[in-house]
Amino acid sequence: MSRKQLVRSKELPELPGDDSGCTILHADMDAFFASVELRRQPELRGRPVAVGHPGGRGVVLAATYEARTFGIYSAMPMSRAMRQCGGLVVVPPDHASYSEASKQVMAILRSITPEVQPLSLDEAFLDVAGAQRRLGTPRQIAKQIRSQIADELDLPCSVGVASTKFVAKLASSQAKPNGLLVVPRESVIAFLHPLPIGALWGVGERTEEALARIGMRTIADIAHTDVSTLVNAVGKAAGAHLHALAWGRDARPVVTDEPDRSIGSEETFARDIADRGAIVRELLRLSERCAERLRAGGLVARTASIKIRFADFTTITRSRTLPEPTDVAQVIYDTSCRLYDALGIDGSPLRLVGVRMEGLAAARSTPQQLTIAGEQEEWRAAEQAVDQVTARFGRGAVRPAALVDRSGSGGSPNT
Amino acid sequence: MKIRVERDSFADAVAWASRILPQKAALPVLAGLRIVADGAQGVQLSGFDYEVSAQANIEVTVAETGSVLVPGRLLAEITRSLPPAPIDLATDGARVVLTCGSSRFTLPTLPLEEYPTLPEMPTASGSVGSDAFAAAVGAVATAAGRDDALPVLTGIRIEIDGEQVTLAATDRYRLAVRTLRWQPVEPAMQTTALVPARTLAEAAKSLTSGAQISIALAGAGTGEGLIGLAGADRSTTSRLLDGEFPKYRSLLPDSSSATARVDSAALTDAVRRVALVASRTSPIRLSFAADGLELEAGGVDEAEARESLPAEFEGEALTIAFNATYLLDGLGSLDSDEAQLSFTGPTKPAVLTGKPDGDGGSDHRYLLMPVRLAS
């Protein structure tokens, strides 16, 4: 899902020029979670559907285009979405299926070219420069991707084609839903300039406000403003960057397997929780999840941090650098508990807790300081055994005793 | 209270007794240094933070008996900077006036009645040569953990078996064990205690003015345990740590597959040099073979250093990697001009020892866990 739902004002025009040199593709699944659900329950097709936990604290994780006509968008509180659209069908999320579908999508993209940079579960950049001799022009390749994903996976996907990542990403969001848009080099300026400034990559609400204050409405406004004026409004780096983008300049290459900078998991409670026992149990579950992901990615992490959101939405994070890099849940859990206990907030109702591991490095190339008792090695061996059972019998087949009394579904991880 | 004291001995005593005072006291009175002048001769200075107490006695002329509680760190700073002249200290209502030469300080006092009772010094268990004890504690303390999250590992384990005392500390990456002789009051005494390493090291170092230190252990293992150390004119107590110290004896390998003997000063210098290119997390690699020792650090994409050293080596050639700081700590703790390193494999603990000192009285072993190299 694209974070910004740009309003489409008209049918997609064929932009003048050809696709030569437009080797950057942005493939973006349409309403990804919702589409996966529709594939499983085809009887819901044509109805407004939102994925997310109903009521309470749930938010909309994905909405079909039918639901979007009711003004429903991602991250909107589910309770509000349900008020806004009486006939809304709410489907609880099934993250395992989404991640499975995501793997299949990425596998198709990688069969086109190894130059794939996934941005999240449901979108990726491709550089098809090297695939043209084999598969044809960028437009033909984009068509092939769309039809292959539709035929093999029965999922809709939009693709933007351009000479830079940022224009390709804009193009795919303009092509949605289920469309294809090529922005030839000579049409970049004409394509960009009428768009609202919010469409620029890196312009969030705050930057948008700052720019609106100096009269900026469209990308053309930014393009025709002196860099120094922009720098005054939004800061040095951002000002120069936005000006370059407004002229379609974006030198960032497609980076395959961009190493993750951190791995984390968090949980918003259905009701605020103040009890230490329940909170550390959640920290254990999140630590298990982080460690599992570290090991699956062949990574170790040097710094552990926790995130705490109080009932009034005040949010704090605390971190601690470990004596040695780890991929062991027990170590992450112990550290998380210490960080929590050090806050002295036992008894304060919390809305959300999160665990995040930073300072990632490949386990294979990280020297490992051995310990006299070998606890870390023993825990790792035990957890790797669990990984194997999980791979065979599914999540929850083996888990810490403290987590056994909970239902296996857990909550939604946000990464 | 009214006393006249000699500047140097007073400044030393104040500094010693107030060194344990917390920067930020949990209770205001704990920032105080208690001065008691209750006889014709002698004054006791005491500091206490519920964990550690320190008491210094000095010979002074007491003009008027009494006691007072003054801000300790401030008094220490003042006495340190006073000119070399006799100091007069006298209470004046709720204040205390200090005069020295032409300097005059007036300090507020703290409520003495709120001051906690100092723990009583337990009955002496035995005594040990103060320099040997300070050296032993200092050498072992380098291996103690600094992470308060694992309190057991911030301690030095003391094991007493008759005339033999064994000190041990580990932070999980290395383990230092030293035995030394002492004179127990009970010849068959057997006991163990876990003492905060930093406290013990500081106390041992500062109690070397007399030839002997007397050690007193009380209630070890009961949770109310206390250790007392006393030298000439100075005594200190510390709460013992609770918890189970790792069973370390089984970790010390009783055989080895290879042994190297190296000049310890030369090895220390070489490790320091080569480690300049090792980052905090990257280790230094040592390759031992019959023709000597080669040290290396760094790598392909970064700075690299190599150095070779003569070494007497017996056994199977091996390459093993260590954290440079831990290796240097170990070499520094040997107190010997020759270092002996014993190995059983590149991922098995190595043991550093010094040259045997002949009389078998003192014995130091430093077990060091290697770093497993990236594959």
Side-chain angles (χ1 to χ4, degrees):
Chain A
M1 294 146 285
S2 145
R3 276 180 192 79
K4 288 170 197 162
Q5 303 302 330
L6 298 172
V7 183
R8 257 174 77 221
S9 50
K10 53 188 180 300
E11 280 304 298
L12 281 184
E14 191 81 5
L15 296 169
D18 66 31
D19 59 355
S20 61
C22 293
T23 60
I24 309 292
L25 273 54
H26 181 250
D28 195 356
M29 305 302 293
D30 298 325
F32 183 52
F33 294 179
S35 300
V36 173
E37 295 299 341
L38 290 184
R39 186 175 65 171
R40 179 164 32 197
Q41 305 176 58
E43 67 277 10
L44 296 178
R45 283 189 201 276
R47 294 176 60 187
V49 175
V51 176
H53 289 290
R57 289 275 163 63
V59 295
V60 176
L61 299 173
T64 59
Y65 283 83
E66 288 80 2
R68 292 185 197 193
T69 58
F70 290 90
I72 290 166
Y73 53 86
S74 294
M76 171 188 265
M78 188 60 87
S79 48
R80 199 175 125 205
M82 288 162 80
R83 276 200 304 279
Q84 237 161 274
C85 170
L88 187 67
V89 181
V90 178
V91 183
D94 171 9
H95 291 279
S97 315
Y98 311 148
S99 105
E100 183 55 37
S102 169
K103 271 187 203 153
Q104 294 167 338
V105 169
M106 296 302 164
I108 289 178
L109 298 182
R110 291 201 174 93
S111 72
I112 302 285
T113 171
E115 299 294 307
V116 175
Q117 179 184 0
L119 293 182
S120 64
L121 281 182
D122 60 353
E123 56 176 323
F125 283 115
L126 295 85
D127 186 339
V128 298
Q132 294 179 91
R133 275 185 60 176
R134 197 160 43 90
L135 300 173
T137 67
R139 181 191 294 276
Q140 288 165 332
I141 296 173
K143 280 186 175 159
Q144 181 186 335
I145 289 171
R146 285 180 16 85
S147 63
Q148 215 174 326
I149 290 177
D151 294 349
E152 294 176 21
L153 306 180
D154 190 18
L155 291 171
C157 164
S158 299
V159 181
V161 180
S163 56
T164 59
K165 281 166 96 170
F166 134 76
V167 178
K169 189 168 162 77
L170 272 180
S172 72
S173 64
Q174 295 288 295
K176 279 180 173 299
N178 204 5
L180 164 66
L181 179 62
V182 179
V183 183
R185 281 168 177 275
E186 58 192 273
S187 300
V188 167
I189 304 298
F191 167 73
L192 280 182
H193 281 192
L195 294 174
I197 53 173
L200 274 182
W201 202 351
V203 176
E205 242 170 77
R206 300 287 277 278
T207 313
E208 197 170 346
E209 278 169 25
L211 291 169
R213 269 200 296 278
I214 57 168
M216 308 276 112
R217 296 281 178 271
T218 65
I219 294 178
D221 294 337
I222 291 179
H224 295 108
T225 299
D226 207 57
V227 178
S228 60
T229 312
L230 294 173
V231 167
N232 282 338
V234 298
K236 198 169 176 184
H241 181 58
L242 291 181
H243 195 260
L245 289 182
W247 286 105
R249 290 193 294 269
D250 176 20
R252 287 168 296 185
V254 170
V255 184
T256 50
D257 292 323
E258 192 169 62
D260 288 325
R261 261 171 291 185
S262 69
I263 277 183
S265 225
E266 54 191 54
E267 172 77 16
T268 302
F269 300 123
R271 272 173 293 108
D272 293 347
I273 293 185
D275 171 47
R276 181 181 183 278
I279 287 165
V280 300
R281 209 153 46 236
E282 192 55 43
L283 290 174
L284 174 57
R285 206 173 64 79
L286 297 171
S287 300
E288 294 268 332
R289 192 171 292 216
C290 282
E292 209 178 288
R293 288 177 52 197
L294 286 169
R295 289 193 298 270
L299 297 168
V300 287
R302 205 168 171 85
T303 303
S305 71
I306 61 164
K307 176 170 164 185
I308 298 286
R309 181 166 293 152
F310 295 96
D312 67 353
F313 281 86
T314 311
T315 306
I316 54 174
T317 61
R318 288 291 180 274
S319 69
R320 185 186 164 92
T321 297
L322 304 167
E324 63 252 38
T326 195
D327 59 2
V328 173
Q330 189 61 36
V331 174
I332 301 172
Y333 169 62
D334 288 345
T335 311
S336 306
C337 287
R338 261 186 274 137
L339 288 168
Y340 168 75
D341 288 334
L343 288 168
I345 52 169
D346 188 9
S348 309
L350 304 186
R351 190 183 160 85
L352 170 150
V353 294
V355 173
R356 180 162 292 277
M357 299 303 292
E358 292 153 23
L360 305 187
R364 216 158 32 84
S365 61
T366 304
Q368 186 196 348
Q369 170 70 57
L370 303 175
T371 59
I372 55 167
E375 328 81 335
Q376 170 133 321
E377 293 90 86
E378 279 171 26
W379 280 112
R380 176 176 296 113
E383 292 177 13
Q384 278 166 346
V386 174
D387 289 347
Q388 284 169 12
V389 175
T390 304
R392 217 168 136 196
F393 300 106
R395 177 184 298 281
V398 178
R399 59 192 139 156
L403 297 181
V404 167
D405 58 341
R406 290 173 56 100
S407 71
S409 64
S412 56
N414 300 310
T415 53
Chain B
M1 187 193 76
K2 196 169 175 186
I3 56 174
R4 165 163 282 214
V5 290
E6 195 265 314
R7 186 257 178 214
D8 288 352
S9 62
F10 187 64
D12 283 353
V14 170
W16 193 78
S18 61
R19 114 202 103 87
I20 60 150
L21 298 179
Q23 290 281 8
K24 277 187 182 164
L27 289 173
V29 288
L30 292 183
L33 182 76
R34 192 180 68 175
I35 304 175
V36 178
D38 53 4
Q41 295 284 314
V43 163
Q44 289 128 39
L45 307 174
S46 326
F48 183 44
D49 71 351
Y50 280 111
E51 297 290 325
V52 181
S53 78
Q55 186 163 321
N57 297 305
I58 42 170
E59 293 295 312
V60 305
T61 316
V62 176
E64 196 184 307
T65 58
S67 35
V68 68
L69 190 62
V70 293
R73 285 180 171 268
L74 182 57
L75 184 65
E77 271 178 54
I78 291 169
T79 51
R80 191 164 46 231
S81 45
L82 286 176
I87 299 170
D88 287 305
L89 204 63
T91 45
D92 175 15
R95 305 197 297 176
V96 65
V97 180
L98 182 153
T99 43
C100 174
S102 57
S103 307
R104 181 188 158 91
F105 291 88
T106 308
L107 303 178
T109 60
L110 297 160
L112 198 56
E113 60 281 8
E114 288 172 23
Y115 197 68
T117 311
L118 262 63
E120 211 168 301
M121 187 75 175
T123 317
S125 314
S127 65
V128 62
S130 62
D131 289 330
F133 186 66
V137 170
V140 170
T142 51
R146 283 163 191 82
D147 186 350
D148 288 329
L150 298 166
V152 168
L153 299 185
T154 63
I156 291 180
R157 159 110 162 167
I158 300 181
E159 292 175 6
I160 290 170
D161 182 5
E163 290 189 349
Q164 182 166 289
V165 182
T166 305
L167 305 176
T170 178
D171 62 0
R172 289 153 72 240
Y173 309 123
R174 59 261 173 83
L175 162 74
V177 182
R178 180 176 287 210
T179 55
L180 70 163
R181 299 204 168 275
W182 81 318
Q183 297 83 46
V185 173
E186 283 286 330
M189 179 176 186
Q190 285 203 322
T191 191
T192 61
L194 188 61
V195 191
R198 239 185 47 203
T199 309
L200 187 62
E202 278 179 18
K205 206 167 64 186
S206 64
L207 288 174
T208 50
S209 56
Q212 297 277 311
I213 293 182
S214 116
I215 299 177
L217 281 168
T222 62
E224 301 292 317
L226 199 68
I227 184 172
L229 299 170
D233 304 329
R234 305 269 198 276
S235 63
T236 186
T237 64
S238 169
R239 275 235 299 246
L240 298 181
L241 292 167
D242 281 332
E244 180 112 0
F245 193 76
K247 295 197 175 29
Y248 64 90
R249 287 192 191 274
S250 58
L251 298 168
L252 293 162
D254 39 20
S255 64
S256 62
S257 63
T259 322
R261 284 198 184 82
V262 196
D263 182 277
S264 47
L267 180 56
T268 302
D269 288 347
V271 170
R272 277 212 185 97
R273 273 191 293 271
V274 170
L276 293 174
V277 303
S279 68
R280 197 165 64 95
T281 53
S282 83
I284 135 163
R285 305 180 288 282
L286 284 73
S287 299
F288 291 91
D291 58 349
L293 159 64
E294 186 166 78
L295 295 89
E296 280 176 274
V300 187
D301 298 330
E302 40 196 317
E304 199 171 9
R306 269 171 209 279
E307 183 158 345
S308 46
L309 271 185
E312 270 180 58
F313 184 72
E314 278 167 39
E316 247 172 79
L318 95 162
T319 296
I320 189 164
F322 297 114
N323 172 307
T325 309
Y326 299 163
L327 179 57
L328 287 171
D329 284 348
L331 290 169
S333 70
L334 290 184
D335 199 15
S336 163
D337 51 11
E338 183 186 275
Q340 177 171 318
L341 298 91
S342 316
F343 307 101
T344 44
T347 59
K348 294 284 188 295
V351 179
L352 274 72
T353 48
K355 202 158 44 179
D357 69 354
D359 69 4
S362 163
D363 165 38
H364 187 79
R365 276 171 296 173
Y366 184 86
L367 179 146
L368 175 56
M369 290 305 297
V371 172
R372 181 180 284 148
L373 287 171
S375 48

